[in-house]
């Protein structure tokens, strides 16, 4: 059977699964990115919007500190 040059190097074997250590690291990075995104969103809000959510600026600091501690513990 003739294979075109575009697919000649492709393999039909199952892709290699990442190790559990690599997967754990990727999940930790993902959690950190989520925490930073949330922090950025909360810091961008004005005091009135935070008040509507029942938060203050000091609560934002606490939430972000708790998130970073949780990500570091994972």
């Amino acid at each position: 059977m003739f294979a075109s040059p575009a697919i000649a190097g492709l393999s039909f074997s199952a892709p290699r699964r990442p190790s559990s250590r690599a997967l754990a690291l990727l999940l930790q990075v993902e959690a950190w990115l989520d925490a930073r995104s949330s922090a950025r969103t909360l810091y961008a809000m004005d005091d009135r919007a935070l008040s509507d959510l029942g938060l203050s600026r000091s609560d934002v600091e606490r939430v972000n500190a708790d998130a970073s501690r949780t990500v570091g513990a994972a």
Side-chain angles (χ1 to χ4, degrees), residues 42 45 48-55:
L42 288 172
M45 292 181 172
R48 186 172 180 163
L50 288 172
S51 177
D52 288 345
L53 295 173
L55 297 173

Side-chain angles (χ1 to χ4, degrees), residues 15-74:
R16 200 173 72 153
R17 267 184 92 196
S19 69
S20 61
R21 182 176 277 176
L23 184 58
L25 178 63
L26 287 174
L27 291 174
Q28 191 172 2
V29 169
E30 181 183 26
W32 179 80
L33 289 172
D34 286 343
R36 289 303 307 148
S37 176
S38 297
R40 229 177 278 116
T41 301
L42 288 172
Y43 281 128
M45 292 181 172
D46 63 357
D47 289 335
R48 186 172 180 163
L50 288 172
S51 177
D52 288 345
L53 295 173
L55 297 173
S56 66
R57 289 281 167 204
S58 61
D59 292 329
V60 171
E61 293 291 333
R62 184 180 46 77
V63 166
N64 291 327
D66 290 347
S68 66
R69 241 187 325 248
T70 303
V71 169

